């Protein structure tokens, strides 16, 4: 991998080998995209300071507290070794799988080089069938390169088949997958959702409508009613301003860092959708997906099952970019009757500018903007996450959402904090 300007080739090789070590030994979902991001991150810090190098690589290569603990141990062990690291080899995420009913032709062995010095150089390069993650076959997202260790004179034999490596160019690849939720806790979630709907008080509408009791006499309807009683207005009709019906917009972070909290919060969004039809639900990870049609099509009273959510579930975290996209898509539907709930841990890999712009637009148009964070349920929590710090000036409330107890207390906490 080519080193960015200002970094030596030796440091680039060591960082690439370190990425490979995390991937092979501990199953980190890392590849060429993450290795390139790590090298670019080192270009922004002082590489002579070990702490700055460690912090920069940790931000790019980890996605959860457990991965951060493993990263610290491996970083100390790897960069204290003497000598040069071995040449990096990036094996595929999944082993080779052959298509059923198709015979695989054996690849002819590569000719041995005269100056071979290691066992890894003697092994043939992986073929296109056994590289990549086996999930995406789109050629637009693939790049071909020469195998590692191939010499410049490999083109001398025109009859030898070309060996290539195919890699997916996605720095925050999303795992996707189907979603299944148990129905055992649905009654509890429905009670929490009902309490939230009842607690919302947005004031009264500006428009007057016929009401049983109101502040203004409806003369037209009163005279029409008097025609049925020989002109005697025995029944008075009134006009009043009804209470504004709230709309809910839930934006759920489905990235890897959310873990089981994302599953619980998605079930809560489903319960809120069953209690109020004025609910819009979105999920995001590396991309944004509208879940409202899927929730409407789910059979009531049964466990929630959703098809493959693609880039909205199980990948990296791009909160700012996806919230900015949401603010533009829902521009016509986010109004002074809308309560926006952002359900995320705030661990973002995107630009802070996008986050500030998205929150500014949502705060300007929505009635309330509330952030629910699973990390806020931990003792002595401080909102130090980059996305949360950027969103704080535009939030009406920042509340914990670490379990069922927090969801039951959500309505009371919003009332007590003045957000409702």
């Amino acid at each position: 991998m080519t080193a960015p300007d200002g970094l030596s080739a030796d440091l680039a090789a060591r960082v690439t080998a370190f990425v490979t070590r995390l991937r092979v030994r501990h199953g980190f979902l890392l590849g060429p995209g993450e290795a390139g991001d790590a090298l670019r991150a080192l270009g922004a810090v002082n590489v002579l300071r070990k702490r700055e190098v460690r912090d920069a690589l940790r931000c790019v290569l980890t996605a959860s507290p457990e991965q951060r603990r493993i990263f610290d141990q491996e970083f100390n062990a790897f960069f204290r070794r003497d000598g040069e690291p071995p040449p990096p080899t990036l094996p595929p995420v999944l082993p080779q799988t052959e298509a059923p009913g198709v015979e695989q032709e054996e690849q002819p062995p590569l000719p041995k080089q005269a100056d071979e010095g290691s066992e890894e150089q003697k092994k043939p390069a992986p073929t296109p069938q056994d590289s990549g993650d086996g999930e995406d076959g789109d050629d637009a997202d693939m790049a071909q390169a020469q195998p590692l260790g191939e010499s410049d004179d490999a083109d001398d034999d025109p009859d030898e088949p070309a060996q290539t490596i195919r890699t997916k160019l996605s720095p925050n690849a999303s795992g996707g997958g189907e979603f299944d939720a148990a129905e055992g806790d649905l009654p509890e979630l429905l009670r929490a959702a009902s309490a939230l709907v009842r607690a919302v008080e947005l004031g009264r509408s500006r428009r007057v409508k016929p009401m049983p009791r109101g502040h203004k006499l409806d003369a037209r309807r009163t005279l029409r009613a008097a025609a049925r009683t020989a002109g005697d207005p025995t029944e008075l009709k009134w006009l009043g301003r009804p209470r504004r019906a709230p709309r809910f917009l839930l934006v759920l972070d489905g990235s890897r860092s959310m873990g089981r909290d994302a599953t619980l919060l998605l079930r809560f969004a489903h319960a809120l959708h069953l209690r109020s039809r004025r609910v819009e639900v979105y999920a995001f990870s590396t991309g944004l997906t509208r879940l409202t049609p899927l929730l409407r099509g789910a059979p009531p009273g049964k466990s929630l099952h959703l098809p493959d959510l693609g880039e909205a579930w199980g990948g990296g975290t791009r909160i700012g970019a996806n919230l900015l996209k949401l603010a533009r898509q829902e521009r016509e539907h986010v109004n002074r009757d809308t309560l926006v709930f952002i359900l995320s841990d705030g661990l973002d890999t995107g630009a802070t500018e996008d986050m500030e712009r998205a929150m500014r637009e949502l705060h300007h148009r929505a009635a309330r903007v509330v952030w629910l964070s699973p990390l806020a349920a931990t003792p002595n929590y401080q909102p130090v996450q980059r996305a949360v710090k950027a969103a704080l000036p535009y939030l009406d409330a920042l509340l914990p959402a670490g379990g069922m107890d927090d969801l039951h207390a959500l309505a009371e906490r919003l009332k007590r904090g003045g957000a409702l």
Side-chain angles (χ1 to χ4, degrees):
M1 181 170 294
T2 304
D5 296 339
L7 293 182
S8 64
D10 176 68
L11 179 59
R14 293 183 69 87
V15 171
T16 306
F18 180 59
V19 173
T20 305
R21 181 188 182 99
L22 294 177
R23 176 177 179 175
V24 174
R25 293 192 176 186
H26 302 286
F28 282 30
L29 297 179
L30 304 175
E34 283 76 7
D37 290 344
L39 295 178
R40 285 190 291 272
L42 293 184
V45 300
N46 186 358
V47 295
L48 300 180
R49 294 180 179 270
K50 184 178 179 180
R51 177 174 295 182
E52 293 188 16
V53 173
R54 181 191 61 194
D55 293 343
L57 294 180
R58 185 195 291 138
C59 292
V60 177
L61 302 180
T62 62
S64 65
E66 181 63 26
Q67 287 189 357
R68 284 193 286 274
R69 287 191 291 268
I70 297 175
F71 172 88
D72 291 339
Q73 297 175 359
E74 289 294 335
F75 182 88
N76 294 331
F78 182 83
F79 286 97
R80 286 179 181 175
R81 297 188 308 172
D82 298 329
E84 296 294 331
T89 57
L90 297 178
V93 176
L94 299 177
Q96 177 181 358
T97 56
E98 298 180 356
V102 180
E103 297 183 357
Q104 302 291 331
E105 298 182 359
E106 297 183 357
Q107 296 289 340
L110 296 176
K112 296 183 178 181
Q113 303 291 334
D115 55 349
E116 292 176 342
S118 64
E119 291 295 332
E120 294 185 1
Q121 292 178 345
K122 296 178 183 180
K123 296 179 181 180
T127 62
Q129 287 82 359
D130 60 9
S131 61
D133 55 7
E135 297 178 357
D136 194 350
D138 191 358
D139 294 335
D141 294 337
M142 298 293 179
Q144 295 185 351
Q146 288 186 345
L148 300 175
E150 186 176 358
S151 59
D152 295 337
D153 57 352
D155 296 334
D156 295 341
D157 188 2
D159 298 332
E160 182 180 353
Q163 301 292 327
T164 59
I165 298 177
R166 301 176 69 192
T167 58
K168 188 173 183 179
L169 303 178
S170 177
N172 296 298
S174 176
E178 298 182 353
F179 177 87
D180 287 289
E183 57 179 341
D185 56 353
L186 182 59
E188 294 290 330
L189 293 172
L190 288 175
R191 281 193 288 270
S194 299
L196 177 60
V197 174
R198 290 193 303 267
V200 176
E201 296 180 359
L202 297 180
R204 296 190 176 276
S205 174
R206 296 178 180 178
R207 301 179 61 182
V208 293
K209 293 183 178 180
M211 297 182 64
R213 294 181 180 180
H215 65 283
K216 184 178 180 180
L217 179 65
D218 190 349
R220 179 179 297 179
R221 294 174 61 238
T222 300
L223 292 177
R224 287 181 179 177
R228 295 192 294 268
T229 58
D232 188 7
T234 58
E235 184 181 0
L236 300 181
K237 302 295 183 179
W238 299 94
L239 294 174
R241 294 187 299 169
R243 291 192 176 275
R244 290 151 51 195
R247 300 174 59 93
F248 296 92
L249 175 60
L250 277 68
V251 194
L252 173 62
D253 184 353
S255 61
R256 292 190 300 265
S257 62
M258 286 287 288
R260 296 181 179 178
D261 296 319
T263 303
L264 174 63
L265 294 176
L266 180 53
R267 297 203 302 269
F268 175 70
H270 179 228
L272 185 61
H273 181 271
L274 294 177
R275 281 292 177 257
S276 174
R277 303 302 293 180
R278 296 166 63 90
V279 176
E280 284 287 340
V281 182
Y282 284 81
F284 70 88
S285 177
T286 57
L288 183 70
T289 298
R290 183 170 178 257
L291 300 184
T292 308
L294 300 178
L295 297 180
R296 288 177 180 172
K302 297 184 179 180
S303 60
L304 179 61
H305 173 78
L306 300 180
D308 188 359
L309 301 181
E311 60 182 6
W313 200 263
T317 312
R318 297 175 57 196
I319 304 178
N322 286 298
L323 284 182
L324 185 58
K325 182 179 179 181
L326 172 69
R328 294 171 178 173
Q329 288 183 358
E330 290 291 321
R331 184 180 299 273
E332 299 179 356
H333 301 92
V334 177
N335 51 38
R336 56 191 302 268
D337 296 336
T338 305
L339 277 77
V340 179
F341 287 87
I342 303 173
L343 294 71
S344 173
D345 54 9
L347 302 178
D348 193 9
T349 61
T352 307
E353 294 78 8
D354 293 340
M355 187 70 195
E356 294 178 350
R357 182 178 178 184
M359 294 302 301
R360 189 184 305 113
E361 293 187 12
L362 291 175
H363 175 75
H364 177 70
R365 295 200 304 269
R368 303 287 188 274
V369 180
V370 180
W371 192 298
L372 303 181
S373 173
L375 298 181
T378 58
N380 302 322
Y381 167 76
Q382 296 294 330
V384 297
Q385 294 81 13
R386 183 172 58 176
V388 178
K389 290 177 64 177
L392 272 178
Y394 310 100
L395 293 179
D396 294 283
L398 173 61
L399 299 176
M404 191 68 69
D405 294 337
D406 292 330
L407 296 180
H408 279 293
L410 177 59
E412 185 62 29
R413 286 171 176 171
L414 288 173
K415 278 187 173 182
R416 189 167 56 247
L420 293 182

